[in-house]
């Protein structure tokens, strides 16, 4: 079995709600980040979300321009990865590229001595897991280079599930947390999502959106959860196939099981395997 799993349902509830044609929710999101700005309206918001051309994974990135600011948000769900800031670096560069080349004047001035206008970047990570000692700022330089003398850096503010926000960002995070809780209680994914929607509406979280888009939210969540399950199963299968191949190769090199087991354990993805786990492929 080869190749990659193709994920056809690439939008999350996050991008559906905030990146849709109805900008009411996007405006609420912007005002949650900039509560002092009551002048910016729906017509002042320009979506610049980039299509997911880097991979075929489900994407949950959102970008928009408002009042001279380029706001980029990435939803991290409950799995933390330092690679998020690298993804945001690529995203920001691609967004600026599209922004410059979509305007003939900016494009023409790019190699001239006339400075072009670029909106000020604001980077955010919405993390639906617990803070657990994680920093409120994630830095490209700190995560990947650790060199204080390096001039280039990109920083993003992390919004955590336990920040206690009551705005639309906090309500969205609450929805994600409730979905996760219901998945732990219900084996049936559809039932878990339906129950999560009911609870959130009852708690006053995303009431308008979940009420008017109930079926769409159910369909999106069910598709994403099914794909995540398939991806996990696929990953486990590839891990087993890799272990079999490794053991087979090591048997040609070493005449005893102990040496084979020692070499297998040196590989990070197999470091937690017991002798019994490895011996079944010996």
């Amino acid at each position: 079995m080869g190749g990659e799993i193709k994920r056809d349902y690439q939008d999350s509830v996050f991008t559906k709600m905030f990146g849709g044609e109805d900008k009411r929710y996007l405006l609420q999101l912007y005002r949650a980040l900039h509560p002092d700005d009551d002048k910016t309206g729906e017509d002042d918001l320009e979506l610049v979300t980039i299509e997911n051309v880097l991979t075929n994974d489900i994407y949950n990135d959102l970008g928009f321009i408002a009042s001279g600011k380029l706001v980029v948000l990435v939803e991290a769900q409950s799995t933390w990865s330092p690679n998020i800031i690298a993804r945001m670096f690529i995203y920001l560069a691609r967004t600026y590229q599209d922004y410059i080349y979509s305007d003939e004047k900016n494009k023409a001035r790019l190699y001239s001595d006339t400075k072009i206008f670029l909106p000020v970047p604001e980077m955010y990570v919405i993390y639906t897991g617990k803070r657990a000692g994680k920093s409120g700022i994630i830095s490209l330089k700190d995560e990947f280079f650790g060199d204080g003398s390096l001039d280039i850096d990109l920083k993003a503010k992390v919004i955590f599930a336990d920040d206690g926000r009551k705005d639309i960002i906090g309500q969205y995070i609450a929805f994600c947390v409730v979905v996760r809780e219901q998945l732990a209680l219900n084996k049936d994914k559809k039932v878990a999502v339906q129950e999560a929607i009911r609870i959130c509406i009852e708690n006053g979280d995303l009431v308008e959106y979940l009420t008017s888009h109930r079926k769409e939210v159910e369909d999106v969540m069910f598709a994403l959860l099914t794909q995540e399950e398939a991806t996990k199963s696929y990953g486990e299968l590839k891990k087993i196939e890799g272990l079999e191949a490794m053991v087979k190769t090591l048997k040609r090199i070493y005449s005893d099981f102990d040496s084979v087991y020692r070499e297998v354990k040196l590989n990070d993805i197999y470091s937690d395997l017991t002798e019994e786990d490895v011996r079944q492929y010996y």
Side-chain angles (χ1 to χ4, degrees):
M1 183 177 179
E4 296 181 3
I5 290 179
K6 180 64 178 175
R7 294 175 174 181
D8 296 321
Y9 218 119
Q10 293 185 312
D11 282 319
S12 66
V13 173
F14 180 75
T15 53
K16 284 282 188 184
M17 179 165 64
F18 297 119
E21 292 182 6
D22 186 347
K23 292 184 180 178
R24 285 180 299 161
Y25 305 105
L26 182 62
L27 181 60
Q28 290 179 49
L29 174 65
Y30 172 72
R31 287 187 174 165
L33 298 172
H34 291 276
D36 296 333
D37 184 357
D38 56 2
K39 295 180 180 178
T40 298
E42 291 179 28
D43 293 338
D44 301 313
L45 304 176
E46 178 189 353
L47 279 165
V48 292
T49 300
I50 292 176
E51 290 185 9
N52 189 29
V53 296
L54 298 175
T55 69
N56 64 355
D57 288 342
I58 298 165
Y59 64 91
N60 43 15
D61 307 324
L62 179 74
F64 64 95
I65 294 175
S67 300
K69 295 182 282 289
L70 168 57
V71 183
V72 175
L73 298 99
V74 169
E75 180 197 8
Q77 281 295 339
S78 58
T79 303
W80 182 261
S81 170
N83 296 327
I84 291 169
I85 193 66
R87 201 166 101 213
M88 296 183 85
F89 182 77
I90 295 170
Y91 191 101
L92 183 62
R94 284 291 309 276
T95 304
Y96 274 143
Q97 181 184 42
D98 285 3
Y99 176 82
I100 292 168
Y101 281 87
S102 64
D103 185 299
E104 288 301 321
K105 288 184 178 179
N106 267 342
K107 184 178 176 181
R109 291 172 179 168
L110 187 58
Y111 296 99
S112 73
D113 58 358
T114 303
K115 184 165 63 175
I116 62 174
F117 170 78
L118 291 178
V120 179
E122 288 187 2
M123 317 298 283
Y124 299 91
V125 177
I126 296 179
Y127 181 56
T128 60
K130 293 183 179 179
R131 179 187 288 264
K134 295 179 183 67
S135 172
I137 300 291
I138 182 169
S139 159
L140 181 73
K141 182 169 68 174
D142 293 345
E143 289 290 344
F144 287 91
F145 307 111
D147 184 354
S149 64
L150 191 70
D151 292 329
I152 191 170
D153 196 10
L154 179 70
K155 294 181 180 180
K157 181 180 180 181
V158 185
I159 299 173
F160 294 95
D162 42 8
D163 282 350
R165 302 178 72 111
K166 301 300 181 184
D167 54 34
I168 198 165
I169 297 175
Q171 291 178 41
Y172 175 77
I173 292 175
F175 167 72
C176 294
V177 171
V178 173
V179 168
R180 194 159 62 244
E181 291 172 348
Q182 289 305 307
L183 285 170
L185 296 173
N186 296 282
K187 291 184 178 180
D188 189 320
K189 293 187 287 295
K190 203 162 255 185
V191 172
V193 172
Q194 290 171 344
E195 187 63 9
I197 292 173
R198 183 193 66 78
I199 292 171
C200 285
I201 291 175
E202 193 174 274
N203 290 344
D205 293 324
L206 302 182
V207 175
E208 183 183 29
Y209 187 80
L210 293 178
T211 301
S212 58
H213 296 80
R214 184 188 293 263
K215 182 63 168 61
E216 183 181 14
V217 171
E218 287 180 10
D219 290 345
V220 170
M221 288 303 301
F222 183 73
L224 295 182
L225 292 169
T226 300
Q227 289 169 4
E228 285 176 6
E229 189 176 80
T231 301
K232 184 178 180 181
S233 298
Y234 179 75
E236 289 299 317
L237 176 62
K238 299 307 289 182
K239 182 177 178 180
I240 292 171
E241 289 178 350
L243 176 59
E244 286 181 308
M246 179 181 285
V247 171
K248 185 177 180 180
T249 300
L250 290 172
K251 281 178 69 176
R252 297 194 192 105
I253 302 171
Y254 300 102
S255 58
D256 62 301
F257 172 76
D258 288 344
S259 296
V260 171
Y261 179 61
R262 184 190 66 241
E263 292 298 320
V264 168
K265 292 275 287 183
L266 289 175
N267 191 301
D268 287 343
I269 65 172
Y270 301 123
S271 61
D272 60 340
L273 297 183
T274 65
E275 288 189 19
E276 185 179 347
D277 293 331
V278 178
R279 193 178 288 278
Q280 61 183 315
Y281 303 107
Y282 183 71

